[in-house]
C-alpha cells in the first residue's frame, strides 16, 4: 500500500471533501425544491416524511430553528393541524434536504374531495403500497384498469348478507368474552387494545373467512403447524418484520421464523379454502366466499388469479382487523376518560335496545345513532391512516383560502406528490370547532361530511366501511350496556393531572396505521 493511503490525514481530508460536496449538493437540491413549490410555506426538514429513516432516527427539530431533523412516523398523528396553523393556510408544502422530491399536504375539505374524486388526475403512487402486496396484487395497491378489475370483483363481497353475518358473529364473540370474564363485579384489563385486537381478529376470521375461532386456541388441524387464528395473530402483530427482513434471513431468529411460518400457514389455509369452496356449493355470506363467487360469475368475464384473490383477502384481513381493533380501543379509552359521555351513551343504549344487557337485534342497529357518533368521533380524533397519498398526472391548480379568508392559488407541477393529511383535516377548526374536545354530538344532525375521511373517499372509498360500523356499534352497545368503564388505578400514576392521564391513555405509535400503546381500564358490572 502507498504511504499516502496509509496516512490517516489522507482519509480525513478525503472524508471532509466528500462531506462538503454532499452538503453543497444537498443544499442545491433543497433550493431547487423550494423553487418548485413557488414559496408555498410548510414543513422543512433534513429527512423527508417518506424516507424509511424516519422510523429509526428520533424525531425532533434542529435546535434554535424551525427546521426538522426528521419529522418522525407519528408526525401527523401527533402534530395534527399544527403545520397548517403555522402556515395560516390549508395547503402547505414539504421540502427536505435529502434529495427527495417536494410534496404538498392538504387540510382543505373541498380540495381533498376534488383530489379523491378525480382519480385520473390524481393517481395513487402504487409503489408505496408494495408492503401490502405480500400475497399478491389487490384492490388497495393497484391503479388504472388493473384497479378497476380488482374493484369490480371485490365490491360485491360486501353484501347485506355479510353485514348480518358481521352482526351475528360480533354477538357470539362478545358473549364468549363475557363468559371468560365471569360473573365478578370488576374486570381489570392492563391493555384494552389487546382485547379489541383479539376480538376484531375473531370477527374477521368468521365474517371474513367463514371460520369461527374460539377465544382460547386449540390444536392445529392435520397438515398445519399453526391454527388459522394463530397464523392471523402472527401476521397482524409482526407484518413489519416480514416487510423489512429479507426472506433469506427470516429463519435466523425465533421470532422471524415464527413470522415466516405464519405467512406460509395462512397462504396454505387460503389455498385450501379456494379449492374447497370452488368444489362445493353452500350459502356462505363471508367475504372470502363472496369474493370467490364474484370472481367466477362476473358479467364481463373478468377474473383474478389465485394470487390476486389471496392478495385481496390479505387486504380484507389487515384493513378489516386493524380499523376496528385500534379504533374501538381508542374509543374505550376516551369513554373511560369522559364518564359523562359514557353515561349518555349508556342511557341511549337503554332507550333503544330492548335487551337489558345491551345486545341489540339487527333491526335495532339503525336506531343506535349515538353509538355510531361515538365511533365516528373516535375515528375523527384517531384516524387509522394518517396520510392518503396521491400524485399529479398533469400540472394542476388548487384553490383554497387562508386564515383571513383571502384566496390561495397553488400551482402544482406534473408528477408531484399531493397528500391528504387526514388528522390535520379532522382537526381543522374551520370545520370542527374545539377539535381537541371529545364531542360525539358533533356527528348528530348536519356535520361536515367532506371534512371526515377515515375511510378515504371518492371512487376508492373503503369497501368495508359498513362492516366496520356494524361491528363497532354492536360492540359498544354490548360492552357499555353491561359494564361501566373507568381508567385502571395504578399507584405510580396517582398524582397525575387529567391532561397527563389523557396523554398517557391515548398515546400512540405509527407504522402502517396509528396504534394505541396501552389502554388500562377497569370494567365494573352495571347493576
Amino acid at each position: 500500500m502507498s504511504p499516502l493511503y496509509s496516512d490517516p490525514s489522507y482519509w480525513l481530508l478525503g472524508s471532509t471533501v466528500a462531506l462538503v460536496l454532499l452538503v453543497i449538493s444537498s443544499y442545491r437540491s433543497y433550493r431547487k425544491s423550494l423553487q418548485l413549490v413557488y414559496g408555498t410555506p410548510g414543513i422543512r426538514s433534513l429527512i423527508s416524511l417518506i424516507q424509511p429513516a424516519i422510523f429509526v432516527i428520533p424525531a425532533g427539530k434542529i435546535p434554535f430553528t424551525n427546521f426538522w431533523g426528521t419529522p418522525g412516523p407519528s408526525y401527523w398523528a401527533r402534530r395534527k393541524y399544527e403545520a397548517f396553523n403555522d402556515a395560516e393556510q390549508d395547503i402547505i408544502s414539504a421540502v427536505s434536504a435529502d434529495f427527495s422530491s417536494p410534496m404538498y399536504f392538504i387540510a382543505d375539505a373541498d380540495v381533498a374531495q376534488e383530489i379523491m374524486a378525480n382519480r385520473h388526475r390524481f393517481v395513487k403512487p402504487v409503489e408505496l403500497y408494495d408492503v401490502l402486496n405480500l400475497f399478491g396484487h389487490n384492490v388497495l395497491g393497484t391503479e388504472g384498469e388493473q384497479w378497476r378489475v380488482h374493484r369490480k370483483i371485490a365490491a360485491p363481497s360486501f353484501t347485506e348478507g355479510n353485514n348480518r353475518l358481521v352482526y351475528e358473529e360480533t354477538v357470539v364473540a362478545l358473549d364468549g368474552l363475557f363468559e371468560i370474564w365471569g360473573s365478578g363485579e370488576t374486570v381489570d384489563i392492563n391493555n384494552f387494545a389487546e382485547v379489541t385486537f383479539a376480538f376484531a381478529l375473531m370477527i374477521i376470521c368468521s365474517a371474513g373467512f367463514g371460520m369461527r375461532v374460539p377465544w382460547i386456541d386449540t390444536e392445529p388441524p392435520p397438515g398445519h403447524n399453526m391454527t388459522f387464528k394463530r397464523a392471523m395473530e402472527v401476521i397482524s402483530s409482526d407484518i413489519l418484520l416480514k416487510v423489512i427482513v429479507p426472506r433469506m434471513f427470516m429463519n435466523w431468529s425465533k421470532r422471524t421464523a415464527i413470522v415466516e411460518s405464519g405467512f406460509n400457514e395462512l397462504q396454505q389455509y387460503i389455498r385450501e379454502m379456494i379449492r374447497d369452496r370452488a368444489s362445493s356449493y353452500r350459502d356462505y355470506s363471508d367475504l372470502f366466499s363472496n369474493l370467490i363467487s364474484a370472481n367466477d360469475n362476473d358479467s364481463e368475464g373478468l377474473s383474478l388469479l389465485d394470487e390476486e384473490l389471496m392478495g385481496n383477502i390479505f387486504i380484507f384481513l389487515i384493513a378489516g382487523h386493524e380499523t376496528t381493533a385500534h379504533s374501538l380501543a381508542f374509543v374505550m379509552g376516551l369513554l373511560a376518560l369522559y364518564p359523562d359521555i359514557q353515561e349518555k351513551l349508556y342511557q341511549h343504549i337503554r332507550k333503544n335496545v330492548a335487551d337489558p344487557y345491551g345486545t341489540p337485534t339487527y333491526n335495532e342497529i339503525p336506531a343506535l345513532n349515538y353509538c355510531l357518533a361515538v365511533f365516528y368521533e373516535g375515528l375523527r380524533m384517531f384516524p387509522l391512516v394518517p396520510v392518503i397519498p396521491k400524485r399529479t398526472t398533469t400540472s394542476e391548480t388548487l384553490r383554497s383560502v387562508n386564515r383571513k379568508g383571502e384566496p390561495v392559488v397553488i400551482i402544482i407541477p406534473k408528477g408531484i406528490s399531493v397528500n391528504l393529511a387526514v388528522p390535520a383535516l379532522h382537526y381543522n377548526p374551520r370545520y370542527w370547532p374545539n377539535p381537541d374536545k371529545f364531542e360525539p354530538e358533533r356527528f348528530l344532525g348536519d356535520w361536515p361530511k367532506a371534512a371526515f375521511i377515515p375511510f378515504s373517499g371518492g371512487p376508492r372509498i373503503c369497501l368495508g366501511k359498513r362492516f366496520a360500523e356494524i361491528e363497532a356499534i354492536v360492540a359498544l352497545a354490548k360492552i357499555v350496556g353491561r359494564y361501566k368503564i373507568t381508567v385502571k388505578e395504578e399507584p405510580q400514576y396517582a398524582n397525575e393531572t387529567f391532561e397527563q392521564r389523557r396523554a398517557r391513555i391515548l398515546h400512540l405509535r405509527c407504522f402502517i396505521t396509528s396504534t394505541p400503546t396501552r389502554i388500562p381500564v377497569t370494567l365494573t358490572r352495571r347493576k
Side-chain angles (χ1 to χ4, degrees):
M1 178 182 289
S2 168
L4 177 64
Y5 293 148
S6 62
D7 186 352
S9 62
Y10 169 83
W11 294 103
L12 178 62
L13 176 62
S15 299
T16 303
V17 171
L19 179 61
V20 170
L21 291 175
L22 177 64
V23 170
I24 293 173
S25 179
S26 176
Y27 178 73
R28 287 177 175 173
S29 173
Y30 175 74
R31 297 298 301 177
K32 183 179 179 180
S33 293
L34 284 179
Q35 292 172 0
L36 282 175
V37 300
Y38 305 106
T40 303
I43 303 165
R44 304 294 179 257
S45 62
L46 288 178
I47 298 175
S48 170
L49 280 157
I50 63 170
Q51 292 292 352
I54 67 173
F55 292 99
V56 294
I57 300 176
K61 288 184 176 180
I62 297 175
F64 311 111
T65 74
N66 285 322
F67 208 89
W68 287 85
T70 170
S74 301
Y75 178 84
W76 292 111
R78 293 180 181 170
R79 298 283 172 172
K80 302 178 177 71
Y81 189 69
E82 181 182 291
F84 296 91
N85 187 62
D86 293 343
E88 299 186 357
Q89 62 186 52
D90 290 339
I91 302 177
I92 63 173
S93 65
V95 178
S96 61
D98 62 353
F99 306 101
S100 297
S101 298
M103 299 181 288
Y104 287 88
F105 286 91
I106 311 298
D108 182 297
D110 293 335
V111 174
Q113 292 299 321
E114 177 186 357
I115 290 171
M116 290 187 294
N118 292 278
R119 68 180 187 87
H120 297 294
R121 291 164 50 201
F122 301 93
V123 298
K124 173 174 281 192
V126 293
E127 68 277 5
L128 298 180
Y129 291 80
D130 284 344
V131 60
L132 299 177
N133 290 330
L134 292 171
F135 283 155
H137 291 291
N138 53 72
V139 69
L140 193 60
T142 51
E143 187 52 279
E145 180 61 21
Q146 188 182 20
W147 170 81
R148 189 185 77 84
V149 174
H150 279 270
R151 178 82 178 193
K152 192 170 187 298
I153 299 298
S157 302
F158 295 87
T159 63
E160 179 61 21
N162 184 249
N163 291 340
R164 185 175 288 276
L165 181 61
V166 172
Y167 160 77
E168 293 169 353
E169 295 302 324
T170 301
V171 171
V172 170
L174 286 173
D175 285 344
L177 178 61
F178 296 158
E179 287 184 18
I180 293 173
W181 284 347
S183 58
E185 288 296 310
T186 61
V187 181
D188 286 326
I189 299 173
N190 186 56
N191 184 6
F192 204 84
E194 294 177 353
V195 174
T196 57
F197 182 92
F199 159 71
L201 185 61
M202 294 179 70
I203 305 307
I204 198 63
C205 283
S206 54
F209 291 86
M211 297 184 67
R212 183 176 288 177
V213 297
W215 280 96
I216 301 173
D217 218 347
T218 56
E219 291 296 316
H224 287 274
N225 296 317
M226 289 184 184
T227 63
F228 184 77
K229 178 186 176 186
R230 177 57 181 156
M232 298 274 274
E233 286 174 346
V234 168
I235 292 170
S236 297
S237 300
D238 282 328
I239 183 175
L240 176 59
L241 290 178
K242 180 65 175 177
V243 171
I244 65 176
V245 178
R247 186 167 187 176
M248 67 180 70
F249 300 131
M250 286 299 288
N251 290 318
W252 281 26
S253 75
K254 182 178 180 180
R255 183 175 178 184
T256 55
I258 291 174
V259 173
E260 181 70 4
S261 178
F263 271 83
N264 293 336
E265 286 285 321
L266 183 60
Q267 198 168 41
Q268 182 181 342
Y269 275 115
I270 293 176
R271 289 189 187 280
E272 291 170 354
M273 286 190 287
I274 291 175
R275 181 196 65 211
D276 294 344
R277 310 235 175 140
S279 62
S280 63
Y281 175 79
R282 210 183 99 191
D283 185 17
Y284 292 97
S285 293
D286 61 271
L287 298 180
F288 185 90
S289 299
N290 290 346
L291 182 65
I292 298 295
S293 176
N295 194 52
D296 292 340
N297 299 286
D298 181 72
S299 59
E300 297 180 40
L302 302 174
S303 63
L304 302 176
L305 301 174
D306 281 359
E307 288 74 17
E308 293 172 319
L309 288 173
M310 293 174 66
N312 280 289
I313 286 298
F314 179 67
I315 288 305
F316 291 170
L317 157 67
I318 295 299
H321 178 214
E322 296 209 351
T323 297
T324 310
H326 299 336
S327 298
L328 271 178
F330 281 123
V331 167
M332 292 302 173
L334 286 163
L335 292 174
L337 288 164
Y338 294 92
D340 54 335
I341 293 178
Q342 183 182 165
E343 179 61 22
K344 183 173 181 178
L345 176 60
Y346 173 61
Q347 295 301 331
H348 171 76
I349 294 165
R350 289 190 62 186
K351 178 181 177 182
N352 291 283
V353 175
D355 179 71
Y357 294 103
T359 300
T361 65
Y362 187 71
N363 292 331
E364 287 173 332
I365 289 177
L368 295 172
N369 61 325
Y370 196 65
C371 281
L372 183 61
V374 169
F375 182 54
Y376 273 7
E377 180 69 339
L379 285 173
R380 182 193 69 82
M381 299 180 74
F382 299 97
L384 272 295
V385 179
V387 173
I388 300 174
K390 302 288 183 180
R391 181 181 293 130
T392 56
T393 58
T394 61
S395 177
E396 293 288 346
T397 301
L398 300 180
R399 290 175 170 83
S400 182
V401 294
N402 63 18
R403 190 180 297 169
K404 298 177 182 178
E406 301 166 338
V408 173
V409 179
I410 306 292
I411 299 174
I412 301 178
K414 176 182 177 180
I416 294 294
S417 177
V418 181
N419 307 280
L420 311 185
V422 182
L425 180 57
H426 285 188
Y427 280 79
N428 189 335
R430 190 146 65 101
Y431 312 110
W432 309 102
N434 301 314
D436 291 308
K437 184 179 180 181
F438 178 47
E439 188 178 349
E441 287 76 12
R442 67 174 90 236
F443 286 99
L444 302 177
D446 291 332
W447 52 275
K449 295 178 176 61
F452 182 67
I453 56 172
F455 299 102
S456 189
R460 300 196 73 130
I461 191 169
C462 176
L463 291 170
K465 177 174 178 285
R466 191 56 181 162
F467 185 114
E469 290 173 349
I470 291 175
E471 184 178 349
I473 290 170
V474 176
L476 283 172
K478 282 184 68 68
I479 294 173
V480 176
R482 182 176 293 253
Y483 295 99
K484 181 179 180 181
I485 309 162
T486 55
V487 175
K488 182 182 178 183
E489 295 298 331
E490 298 174 284
Q492 65 270 38
Y493 303 116
N495 297 319
E496 67 183 349
T497 64
F498 176 78
E499 288 73 21
Q500 290 171 332
R501 172 170 287 199
R502 187 181 189 274
R504 172 171 64 88
I505 298 299
L506 302 177
H507 187 266
L508 56 78
R509 53 185 173 80
C510 285
F511 172 57
I512 295 177
T513 58
S514 298
T515 306
T517 305
R518 188 176 81 95
I519 300 181
V521 298
T522 295
L523 304 181
T524 303
R525 184 180 292 274
R526 296 187 185 275
K527 303 298 184 184

